[in-house]
Amino acid sequence: MHKALRVFVTALSVVTFCTAAGAQQPPKSGSINIDTGAIMTEEEESNYELLLELTAAFNAHDLDRIMLHFAEDASLDMPRGSKPWGTRFIGKDGVRKGLAMRFEMTPDVHYGEDRHWVSGSIGVTEWLLTGTTRDGHLIEVRGCDHYEFCGGKVIRKDSYWKIVE
């Protein structure tokens, strides 16, 4: 069997099995994610819009606007730190402190070439971070943020960066 046909038949078999096994398809609102082409539920559509708003707020360097979207008990994991998860900030005040450090260290930070997708209460944003540190070092690095949402608020943001050598 031709390789492409074999892949298609295998994928079709998996879909058929999952459907036959009782996998539930989410209700569809009809809205389509422009980054992935996926049809989104109302919750996913709301979370997707939140990712777009957060990216715009980060690029505007508007910490107050960003923090409007975080829950009181939110957590933030930054890419660098002494632990496997980097540096963790807990609670809204802690998250604010962690995010403020980003703007202090790289005053002209910008998140471009961004793509966003959601699945239920989980969201991912990919980006190219560019900017200049306070000491004049140019930064250009690919990364992503994993978000968890509850009730229209961010309850967890976990950031990852490529290591540029």
Side-chain angles (χ1 to χ4, degrees):
M1 184 182 305
H2 188 270
K3 184 178 179 180
L5 181 57
R6 194 172 358 169
V7 169
F8 174 75
V9 170
T10 301
L12 185 58
S13 298
V14 169
V15 169
T16 302
F17 173 77
C18 290
T19 303
Q24 296 291 317
Q25 295 296 319
K28 297 178 180 173
S29 70
S31 179
I32 297 181
N33 179 318
I34 61 170
D35 290 317
T36 66
I39 297 175
M40 296 184 286
T41 65
E42 288 181 27
E43 175 191 21
E44 290 168 335
E45 185 176 351
S46 176
N47 292 338
Y48 178 78
E49 293 297 325
L50 182 51
L51 291 177
L52 295 177
E53 163 58 17
L54 283 165
T55 301
F58 272 97
N59 283 333
H61 300 183
D62 189 338
L63 193 52
D64 290 334
R65 183 172 154 198
I66 293 166
M67 293 311 301
L68 288 174
H69 304 292
F70 279 81
E72 290 299 322
D73 60 348
S75 68
L76 167 67
D77 290 349
M78 296 295 275
R80 293 185 182 179
S82 61
K83 303 290 185 189
W85 51 83
T87 301
R88 180 167 292 156
F89 298 90
I90 299 175
K92 199 165 186 174
D93 290 338
V95 170
R96 183 183 197 87
K97 177 183 173 186
L99 294 176
M101 289 171 40
R102 166 69 50 234
F103 298 128
E104 290 167 11
M105 294 175 63
T106 313
D108 64 345
V109 68
H110 179 79
Y111 298 86
E113 298 180 20
D114 50 305
R115 296 187 325 150
H116 316 275
W117 60 94
V118 293
S119 179
S121 62
I122 304 294
V124 177
T125 297
E126 285 184 349
W127 33 257
L128 175 68
L129 181 147
T130 56
T132 309
T133 63
R134 289 243 180 244
D135 62 2
H137 179 74
L138 296 176
I139 299 174
E140 183 178 40
V141 62
R142 296 280 309 158
C144 65
D145 290 316
H146 293 188
Y147 287 93
E148 291 182 37
F149 308 103
C150 183
K153 298 282 186 181
V154 175
I155 59 171
R156 182 170 181 260
K157 179 180 186 289
D158 192 358
S159 294
Y160 295 86
W161 288 19
K162 294 287 188 179
I163 297 172
V164 178
E165 300 178 312

